[in-house]
Amino acid sequence: ARMGASRAFQNGNVPFEYVTPSDLAGGLGPRYGTIYLPACISIRAELFDLLTAYVEQGGRLVMDMPGAFYDDYGRVIETAAGSPFERLFGAVLHEYGYSRPVNNTYHLGELELQGFVAGLSTTAARTIASYREHGTPAITEHRLGDGSAVILGSQASLNCCRPGNEAYEALIRDISLDGWQAPFRCDGAIAYRLAAPAADHYFLLNDGGPARVTLHTPGYRYSRWLDAITGAELDPTAAIDLPLESGRWLRLVKA
């Protein structure tokens, strides 16, 4: 699941880091706009206080399935009304189901869900989306303090472990970012940015055949685009050639 969530953010050129319980206990939660819990089926009881504080301070917490079923001793977590789970997410998690073509298929819009699905009812949360077949909550959002806690009630990050599941990758990004746009993106390749005082360096990676890609940097202003190896000037509006299973290193001079 961690690999799947990482793939979704990496393919969307969304910067991310891994956050540990120790980080949260150390007060580092507010540095992150969103914290994503990928298939965290086991959650320590004390984490609910830390995650609640993170949300109340303005963070966005997203949990997909299977999530919050056991504590760290293997005991079933209480998710009824009044529980720490319900106070955080504004919803009650009743049970897990499973969506698959040979048994009971669930849909989220046109997306045919694969794997675990949550049986939810809302208390203080609003329903963002419902299962097409049942009309019950599929995605919920609870506004708490200055932030929000979201339940993505289906198996998402686990389904992105292997490449090629673009629909689930897009779902993870859309729910996590909530309209926020990354300051840069590259259509057709994975891009990494390394900041420096005078210029930013971008590494465009291509794991397929020869490609022409476009790099967009709406969050930054640059005066010159250069190939960092050859020094050749590049047209910011033109497509960039990437060789077979290789890449390009660009140096973008700050305006």
Side-chain angles (χ1 to χ4, degrees):
R2 288 192 291 271
M3 291 172 61
S6 300
R7 184 186 303 281
F9 294 124
Q10 182 172 288
N11 285 347
N13 300 129
V14 178
F16 68 92
E17 296 178 353
Y18 295 107
V19 183
T20 68
S22 297
D23 293 333
L24 296 177
L28 297 182
R31 70 187 295 178
Y32 303 105
T34 298
I35 291 179
Y36 191 92
L37 302 177
C40 290
I41 193 169
S42 176
I43 298 181
R44 297 181 195 169
E46 60 267 25
L47 265 181
F48 283 105
D49 289 338
L50 294 172
L51 293 172
T52 299
Y54 164 76
V55 172
E56 290 176 334
Q57 293 167 9
R60 183 173 178 84
L61 178 70
V62 180
M63 180 183 71
D64 71 8
M65 293 295 110
F69 196 68
Y70 304 108
D71 66 11
D72 48 332
Y73 291 99
R75 299 172 299 202
V76 175
I77 289 177
E78 178 61 55
T79 60
S83 66
F85 176 94
E86 184 271 337
R87 291 196 297 269
L88 172 57
F89 288 104
V92 173
L93 173 61
H94 297 287
E95 61 183 356
Y96 287 135
Y98 205 83
S99 176
R100 55 184 175 184
V102 297
N103 185 10
N104 188 19
T105 303
Y106 289 68
H107 285 82
L108 185 59
E110 296 303 313
L111 177 61
E112 181 178 300
L113 301 178
Q114 304 166 15
F116 287 98
V117 290
L120 300 167
S121 63
T122 58
T123 53
R126 70 184 181 99
T127 298
I128 296 178
S130 301
Y131 298 120
R132 194 172 77 189
E133 289 77 8
H134 309 281
T136 54
I139 303 175
T140 64
E141 179 183 34
H142 183 210
R143 302 296 304 184
L144 184 64
D146 294 328
S148 59
V150 177
I151 298 177
L152 174 52
S154 56
Q155 181 176 308
S157 54
L158 276 173
N159 292 344
C160 297
C161 179
R162 297 185 181 277
N165 208 329
E166 289 85 1
Y168 272 108
E169 291 180 18
L171 176 62
I172 289 173
R173 291 193 297 269
D174 291 344
I175 293 298
S176 299
L177 300 182
D178 190 32
W180 179 82
Q181 298 296 316
F184 70 91
R185 72 179 192 276
C186 184
D187 299 331
I190 294 173
Y192 293 96
R193 169 179 170 266
L194 180 64
D200 290 340
H201 296 258
Y202 287 85
F203 304 89
L204 309 185
L205 306 181
N206 174 29
D207 61 356
R212 290 175 60 82
V213 304
T214 52
L215 175 65
H216 305 277
T217 59
Y220 307 104
R221 295 180 58 205
Y222 300 111
S223 60
R224 298 175 67 195
W225 288 42
L226 305 170
D227 185 299
I229 302 298
T230 67
E233 294 271 355
L234 301 175
D235 180 355
T237 64
I240 300 169
D241 291 314
L242 294 185
L244 166 72
E245 296 180 345
S246 185
R248 294 282 294 274
W249 175 9
L250 309 183
R251 183 176 187 270
L252 276 56
V253 180
K254 295 182 177 179

